[in-house]
């Protein structure tokens, strides 16, 4: 069987399927009509926690801040033992070693952004060396950004080759490819970028850096999920999905899970194939879980702010 | 895990999609009386027939209530009340005053939206999501829209006088009970006519609730009369000599009978009858959105929609892919208790309708078409049909020609633009059609040549009170909705 990359080099990505924005938004809105109650809600909330890439990506990130975040990841709410861990901690490459030490033995993944995040405006060679650095430091997952400028110029082969090169530099680390959908202009382009990333070897496709508005939305995520489905049917290879930025409430997270379940089915309903990139979602989910268990909402002051 | 099966087919697994915890709308939020009389001259009156019949919940066959069966004498009473209200009150009332009453009806429908949704779902079997998000809001909107026209008829018909006709006899179907009542009553009232409306035999309850709303709105007695009964009641209304206008929505078969009965009288007539809409997917369409449109086009209200997109034509180059997507989508449709907010497809309206659908399922297989149905489980009691599609259908198959009025999609393929126009128009019906393409010019080319009253482009089953709706050929004539919807209720004279 020929590889995905070989298939990809023979595809004219300008012919990626077209998206009808009106119909897409209607379909995405339909998922929010689902009424998620009782055990379905509780299971969904627990799953959401388990899918979070707890993230800090700021210029002012410090060792102290990152350590606290790692502690939080392993002790989400000790008043309720038995809660799942988050999926990963996501940081800049300079923080990987700190994370690795703090997370030792927890089983939580270490994700690092790379490739000149968030703009990606550095030469390809630096992107590759940054990726290699991240992996050498101990990142088990790499979140790269695509070259949006080249993509919008129509240089799809350039974008494809760059992703393939980064994938190569990742070794055994899983590669998440950030499309930065808020800069792509329309849904046709989101679909096209998704196809390029997957054929070039992405293990995950991810909506956003969180630095650009709009970040993740349900319609954008739906386009990407449908791209994953079509790619899976063509190649038999599963690709993960990570909406990032703008998902801070558990109700919205549950709608994302409904959309995931009804688009890709049960196989994707775990943190190997789906992640939420979020910094403040966890506490709202915890609030809701405690509410489901006790019947009352607690003050936000009972949940640690890390 | 998604598995690569031995035969090398890759499949998505939707096994647990239907396992959401129940999210039932509460029955207790609706009041249904054990018995309903006829609404004549502003009051609920015992039927002279002394007869009542039961109305049941089609999702579990439990009796909901019993309603009066109007006979000819009852119809006479209702028409007399409507005539008297027309002559003494409604005809003389200032148009802006008429408008206020119609607005009031619209507002009370909105206030009682939750109760009306629940009753619509209980009586008809449609999912609560649909009655809550479509039927009831659309009914209120229709009253709001025509309330606005009441004192502006001179702008609808410039330099002409728009005179009311008198008494309108209106007969509505069971698929959208309250909405069809709104489609009929609102324009009639706005133009100054009075009304005798007969609701459908299997779904009388929301029309009777509407009668209560009309009472609450303090509409002058006799302006709207609502009677219940079956075919004989309808015939008595159609044949009544003091009626000026008949508006009927229902089957083509009954429509033809009504047209014969009104021939040679001076009754105005509008008919909104059956359909077998062609939904056409071109290879350049946004396929995922087209698939969603096709699903909504045929499984909305269990396919019991006169404008349902029941004939799907797919351009051959994308047929395989579209059919695969449709099959996947069938698996994520939730079929079950209509009161559950997560239900996508509810119960079939009546045993009789279920038998008709089952007859066509057999015919389709006998004709050699390939049947594919959702793998969902069906409830034990009640009238249920799995969402179904047929592939390998030919234009000459009965399932491609005749209206099934159920959740059954016939899929055909085509190659060229001229071929599809010919095939799409090759039907005794002409109510609606759909075109899916990314190319704007193709949309205009197609919509010009399709013989259908409504043609949707890159969408389906969209309704708005401002948009006229109605058919070509055996799908009937006359338009409802929009400015056009005023025409069947007025006589125009020169100023």
């Amino acid at each position: 069987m020929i590889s995905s990359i070989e298939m990809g080099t023979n595809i004219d990505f300008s012919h990626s399927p077209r998206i009808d924005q009106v119909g897409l938004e209607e379909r995405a809105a339909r998922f929010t009509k689902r009424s998620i109650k009782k055990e379905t809600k509780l299971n969904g909330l627990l799953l959401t926690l388990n899918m979070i890439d707890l993230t800090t990506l700021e210029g002012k990130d410090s060792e102290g801040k990152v350590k606290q975040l790692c502690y939080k990841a392993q002790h989400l709410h000790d008043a309720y033992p038995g809660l799942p861990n988050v999926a990963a901690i996501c940081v800049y490459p300079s923080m990987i070693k700190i994370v690795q030490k703090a997370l030792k033995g927890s089983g939580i993944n270490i994700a690092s952004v790379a490739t000149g995040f968030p703009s990606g405006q550095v030469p390809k060679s630096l992107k590759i060396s940054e990726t290699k650095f991240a992996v050498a430091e101990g990142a088990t997952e790499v979140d790269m950004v695509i070259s949006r400028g080249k993509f919008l110029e129509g240089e799809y082969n350039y974008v494809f080759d760059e992703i393939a090169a980064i994938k190569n530099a990742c070794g055994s680390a899983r590669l998440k490819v950030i499309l930065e959908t808020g800069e792509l202009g329309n849904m046709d382009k989101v679909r096209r970028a998704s196809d390029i990333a997957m054929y070039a070897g992405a293990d995950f496709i991810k909506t956003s850096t969180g630095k650009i508005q709009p970040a993740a939305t349900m319609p954008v995520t739906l386009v990407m999920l449908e791209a994953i489905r079509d790619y899976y049917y063509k190649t038999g290879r599963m690709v993960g999905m990570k909406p990032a930025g703008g998902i801070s409430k558990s109700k919205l997270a549950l709608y994302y899970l409904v959309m995931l379940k009804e688009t890709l089915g049960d196989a994707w309903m775990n943190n190997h194939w789906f992640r939420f990139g979020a910094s403040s979602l966890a506490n709202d989910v915890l609030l809701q879980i405690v509410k489901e268990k006790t019947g009352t909402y607690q003050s936000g002051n009972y949940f640690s702010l890390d | 895990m998604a598995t690569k099966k031995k035969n090398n087919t890759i499949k998505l697994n939707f096994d647990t999609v239907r396992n959401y915890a129940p999210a039932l709308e509460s029955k207790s939020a609706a009041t249904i009386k054990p018995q309903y009389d006829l609404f004549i001259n502003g009051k609920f009156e015992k039927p002279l027939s002394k007869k009542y019949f039961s109305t049941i919940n089609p999702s579990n066959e439990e009796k909901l209530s019993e309603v009066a069966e109007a006979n000819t004498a009852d119809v006479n009473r209702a028409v007399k009340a409507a005539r008297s209200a027309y002559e003494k009150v409604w005809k003389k009332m200032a148009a802006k005053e008429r408008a206020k009453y119609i607005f009031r009806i619209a507002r009370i429908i909105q206030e009682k939206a939750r109760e009306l949704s629940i009753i619509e779902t209980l009586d008809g079997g449609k999912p609560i999501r649909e009655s809550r998000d479509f039927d009831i809001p659309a009914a209120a909107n229709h009253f709001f829209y025509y309330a606005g026209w009441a004192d502006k008829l001179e702008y609808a018909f410039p330099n002409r006088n728009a005179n009311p006709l008198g008494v309108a006899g209106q007969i509505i179907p069971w698929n959208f009970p309250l909405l069809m009542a709104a489609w009929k009553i609102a324009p009639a009232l706005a133009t100054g006519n009075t009304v005798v409306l007969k609701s459908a035999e299997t779904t009388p309850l929301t029309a009777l609730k509407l009668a209560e709303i009309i009472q609450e709105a303090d509409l002058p007695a006799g302006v709207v009369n609502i009677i219940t009964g079956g075919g004989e009641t309808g015939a008595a209304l159609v044949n009544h000599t003091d009626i000026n206008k008949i508006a009927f929505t229902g089957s083509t078969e009954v429509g033809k009978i009504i047209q014969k009965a009104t021939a040679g009288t001076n009754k105005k007539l509008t008919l909104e009858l059956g359909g077998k809409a062609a939904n056409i997917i071109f290879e350049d369409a946004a396929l995922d959105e087209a698939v969603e449109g096709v699903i909504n086009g045929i499984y909305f209200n269990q396919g019991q929609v006169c404008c349902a997109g029941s004939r799907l034509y797919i351009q051959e180059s994308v047929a395989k892919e579209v059919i695969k997507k449709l099959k996947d989508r069938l698996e994520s449709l939730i079929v079950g208790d209509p009161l559950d907010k997560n239900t996508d497809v509810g119960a079939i309206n009546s045993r009789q309708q279920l038998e008709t659908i089952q007859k066509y399922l057999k015919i389709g297989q006998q004709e050699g078409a390939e049947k594919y149905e959702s793998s969902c489980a069906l409830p034990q009691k009640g009238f249920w049909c799995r969402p179904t599609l047929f592939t390998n259908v030919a234009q000459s198959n009965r399932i491609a020609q005749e209206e099934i009025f159920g959740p059954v999609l016939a899929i055909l393929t085509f190659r060229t633009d001229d071929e599809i126009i010919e095939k799409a128009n090759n039907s005794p019906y002409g109510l609606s059609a759909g075109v899916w393409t990314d190319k704007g010019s193709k949309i205009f080319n197609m919509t010009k040549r399709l013989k259908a009253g409504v043609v949707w482009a890159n969408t389906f089953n969209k309704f708005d009170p401002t948009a006229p709706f109605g058919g070509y050929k055996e799908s009937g004539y006359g338009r409802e909705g929009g400015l056009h919807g005023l025409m069947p209720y007025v006589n125009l004279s020169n100023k």
Side-chain angles (χ1 to χ4, degrees):
Chain A
M1 199 179 156
I2 60 165
S3 71
S4 171
I5 294 215
E6 281 174 85
M7 285 171 81
T9 47
N10 292 318
I11 292 176
D12 179 354
F13 289 103
S14 61
H15 290 149
S16 272
R18 296 300 191 265
I19 309 294
D20 182 76
Q21 173 117 14
V22 176
L24 174 78
E25 283 172 5
E26 239 172 62
R27 176 66 183 130
R30 176 82 180 262
F31 296 112
T32 69
K33 301 283 181 179
R34 290 279 186 242
S35 185
I36 302 304
K37 304 274 187 212
K38 300 180 190 118
E39 70 272 14
T40 308
K41 183 173 178 186
L42 185 57
N43 292 338
L45 292 169
L46 293 171
L47 187 56
T48 301
L49 269 192
N50 194 225
M51 287 172 161
I52 291 175
D53 280 3
L54 209 54
T55 303
T56 185
L57 293 168
E58 290 176 3
K60 65 178 192 280
D61 282 350
S62 64
E63 188 173 337
K65 162 75 188 174
V66 170
K67 275 184 177 165
Q68 289 174 29
L69 195 69
C70 291
Y71 190 83
K72 166 92 174 179
Q74 300 165 81
H75 303 274
L76 282 170
H77 192 55
D78 284 347
Y80 274 87
L83 291 176
N85 283 337
V86 298
I89 291 281
C90 183
V91 292
Y92 272 113
S94 56
M95 298 294 166
I96 297 171
K97 272 275 184 284
I98 298 156
V99 174
Q100 194 180 40
K101 203 171 156 201
L103 288 182
K104 201 160 190 183
S106 68
I108 298 172
N109 286 298
I110 305 162
S112 169
V113 297
T115 72
F117 180 95
S119 71
Q121 296 287 19
V122 296
K124 192 162 149 187
S125 57
L126 292 183
K127 291 183 181 178
I128 293 170
S129 57
E130 192 187 4
T131 304
K132 285 184 173 160
F133 171 79
V135 175
E137 287 284 285
T140 55
E141 301 177 353
V142 172
D143 290 30
M144 72 167 285
V145 290
I146 65 165
S147 297
R148 282 88 77 190
K150 291 284 183 193
F151 177 83
L152 292 171
E153 284 170 18
E155 298 289 342
Y156 304 131
N157 291 341
Y158 181 93
V159 177
F160 182 94
D161 292 345
E162 192 173 73
I163 296 168
I166 302 292
K167 168 69 185 169
N168 200 33
C170 279
S172 61
R174 296 179 85 202
L175 175 63
K176 306 195 195 102
V177 178
I178 302 171
L179 310 182
E180 196 65 301
T181 53
E183 288 188 341
L184 298 187
N186 67 35
M187 296 298 175
D188 289 344
K189 296 268 172 67
V190 172
R191 171 66 196 229
R192 198 173 300 171
S194 303
D195 288 348
I196 292 171
M198 289 187 294
Y199 278 101
D203 297 300
F204 266 86
I205 49 177
K206 174 174 169 184
T207 57
S208 327
T209 59
K211 307 293 181 196
I212 295 286
Q213 289 301 324
T217 63
M218 287 188 69
V220 150
T221 305
L222 181 57
V223 170
M224 294 167 72
L225 292 173
E226 286 170 346
I228 290 171
R229 182 198 52 203
D230 291 350
Y231 175 79
Y232 173 64
Y233 270 128
K234 288 211 168 78
T235 64
R237 187 172 81 94
M238 289 171 75
V239 173
M241 174 70 207
K242 179 176 172 184
I247 305 165
S248 57
K249 295 290 174 202
S250 28
K251 191 168 189 176
L252 182 57
L254 290 176
Y255 291 143
Y256 273 83
L257 291 185
V258 165
M259 180 162 72
L260 174 67
K261 192 181 182 77
E262 297 189 22
T263 309
L264 290 176
D266 295 339
W268 269 262
M269 294 293 285
N270 54 63
N271 72 8
H272 196 72
W273 299 115
F274 193 82
R275 297 284 176 83
F276 289 107
S279 49
S280 59
L281 174 62
N283 269 10
D284 192 62
V285 176
L286 290 169
L287 189 77
Q288 296 294 336
I289 288 174
V290 173
K291 192 256 171 183
E292 283 301 300
K293 292 193 169 173
T294 63
T296 45
Y297 280 110
Q298 305 208 346
S299 156
N301 289 337
Y302 288 104
F303 301 93
S304 62
L305 282 176
D306 276 315
Chain B
M1 288 290 288
T3 47
K4 236 174 141 179
K5 285 190 180 165
K6 276 181 199 147
N7 59 2
N8 215 21
T9 54
I10 298 161
K11 219 175 166 321
L12 298 175
N13 172 6
F14 292 108
D15 286 354
T16 67
V17 163
R18 303 192 189 94
N19 296 350
Y20 293 124
L24 294 176
E25 175 57 288
S26 156
K27 269 185 226 181
S28 60
T31 315
I32 300 175
K33 289 191 243 170
Q35 194 181 69
Y36 284 93
D37 294 317
L38 304 169
F39 184 67
I40 295 174
N41 210 23
K43 289 193 287 288
F44 282 94
E45 301 273 6
K46 295 255 170 251
L48 297 173
S49 70
K50 297 202 166 68
K51 280 191 206 157
Y52 291 86
F53 61 97
S54 300
T55 183
I56 63 164
N57 178 345
S59 74
N60 57 18
E61 299 172 65
E62 280 168 20
K63 181 173 164 180
L64 291 169
S65 177
E66 54 184 37
V67 301
E69 184 179 341
N71 64 11
T72 308
D74 292 310
V75 171
N76 287 343
R77 251 195 325 169
V79 174
K80 207 170 144 193
R83 174 62 60 193
S84 161
Y86 175 71
E87 299 292 346
K88 291 181 187 151
V89 187
W90 202 242
K91 181 167 88 169
K92 298 177 191 163
M93 189 181 283
K96 65 175 185 185
E97 297 303 316
R98 285 205 309 266
K100 288 180 193 169
Y101 285 107
I102 308 171
F103 268 123
R104 210 179 285 167
I105 294 170
R107 281 202 304 271
I108 303 175
I109 290 176
Q110 283 188 323
E111 282 164 19
K112 295 183 190 289
R114 184 173 177 209
E115 182 182 22
L116 289 165
S117 311
I118 295 168
I119 296 176
E120 201 72 304
T121 286
L122 286 171
D123 205 17
K126 67 174 64 202
I128 187 77
R129 185 184 59 79
E130 288 179 10
S131 33
R132 179 196 66 200
D133 296 348
F134 177 71
D135 288 64
I136 309 304
N141 284 346
H142 219 80
F143 278 107
F144 275 121
Y145 175 75
Y146 279 106
W149 270 125
D151 62 353
K152 300 172 196 70
L153 295 178
E154 58 187 298
Y155 300 99
F157 307 106
N159 302 317
R160 311 271 273 170
N161 286 320
N163 310 300
L165 305 174
V167 177
Q170 306 179 322
I171 299 171
I172 57 172
W174 46 258
N175 54 350
F176 296 95
L178 185 70
L179 181 59
M180 289 301 107
W183 276 29
K184 295 284 182 281
I185 294 173
L189 296 187
T191 46
N193 299 278
T194 58
V195 166
V196 178
L197 176 117
K198 186 194 88 71
S199 62
E201 199 172 353
T202 58
T203 55
L205 293 182
T206 44
L208 292 161
K209 277 280 160 187
L210 179 61
E212 291 175 1
I213 288 169
I214 284 166
Q215 259 184 335
E216 196 181 326
D218 223 7
L219 195 73
V223 172
V224 172
N225 306 274
I226 295 178
I227 59 174
T228 45
E232 284 178 29
T233 312
L237 188 60
V238 168
N239 293 320
H240 198 290
T241 49
D242 198 28
I243 279 189
N244 305 90
K245 147 96 193 167
I246 294 289
F248 172 77
T249 297
S251 70
T252 294
E253 189 189 346
V254 175
K256 286 179 177 174
I257 297 170
I258 292 175
Q259 188 161 13
K260 276 180 200 151
T262 52
T265 71
N266 64 354
K267 288 173 194 163
K268 267 201 170 193
L269 179 63
T270 42
L271 299 171
E272 201 267 271
L273 309 175
K276 189 79 186 177
N279 210 353
I280 304 161
I281 300 182
F282 287 96
E283 61 184 1
D284 65 347
L287 294 185
D288 283 311
E289 286 72 40
V291 162
E292 194 57 24
V294 168
I295 292 284
N296 289 326
I298 184 62
Y299 302 119
F300 177 59
N301 201 26
Q302 297 72 248
Q304 302 165 131
V305 184
C306 45
C307 55
S310 49
R311 275 189 296 159
L312 173 63
Y313 289 95
I314 315 173
Q315 199 150 23
E316 281 187 9
S317 49
V318 291
K320 245 170 98 178
E321 190 180 352
V322 170
I323 289 168
K324 187 170 66 184
K325 284 174 189 283
L326 282 169
K327 287 178 175 176
D328 270 344
R329 186 68 181 90
L330 275 194
E331 289 307 305
S332 59
L333 283 176
I334 299 176
V335 183
D337 188 344
L339 271 186
D340 194 313
K341 292 170 197 160
N342 288 325
T343 292
D344 296 314
V345 179
I348 302 301
N349 187 269
S350 65
R351 181 180 300 281
Q352 191 192 355
Q353 186 55 31
L354 179 61
E355 282 164 5
T356 305
I357 296 167
Q358 284 166 343
K359 180 187 85 182
Y360 278 107
L361 291 178
K362 271 202 199 108
I363 291 173
Q365 284 168 300
Q366 284 160 5
E367 289 177 322
E370 210 170 295
K371 182 178 145 188
Y372 181 91
E373 58 178 16
S374 156
S375 66
C376 64
L378 295 180
Q380 294 292 314
K381 277 186 155 178
F383 315 130
W384 296 93
C385 177
R386 291 192 179 85
T388 304
L389 53 86
F390 279 103
T391 51
N392 288 330
V393 179
Q395 191 80 1
S396 53
N397 290 161
R398 282 179 68 192
I399 54 166
Q401 293 174 342
E402 297 172 20
E403 184 177 43
I404 299 174
F405 224 62
V408 183
L409 178 67
I411 303 180
L412 303 91
T413 58
F414 71 97
R415 295 156 300 173
T416 66
D417 292 14
D418 287 337
E419 179 188 2
I420 186 53
I421 288 287
E422 224 175 78
K423 281 184 165 170
N425 288 339
N426 174 215
S427 163
Y429 296 112
L431 190 54
S432 66
V435 177
W436 299 85
T437 168
D438 205 34
K439 200 168 185 181
S441 58
K442 190 176 266 171
I443 292 174
F444 289 109
N445 181 33
M446 295 300 295
T447 50
K448 250 174 32 192
R449 293 160 71 193
L450 286 168
K451 295 266 184 300
V454 185
V455 183
W456 285 290
N458 291 330
T459 189
F460 207 88
N461 271 348
K462 282 281 176 295
F463 300 92
D464 192 278
T466 61
F469 183 89
Y472 269 65
K473 298 189 274 190
E474 290 190 21
S475 291
Y477 49 79
R479 293 290 178 264
E480 291 180 301
L483 188 152
H484 301 70
L486 296 166
M487 304 269 271
Y489 289 96
V490 294
N491 273 327
L492 296 179
S493 61
N494 289 329
K495 273 201 164 157

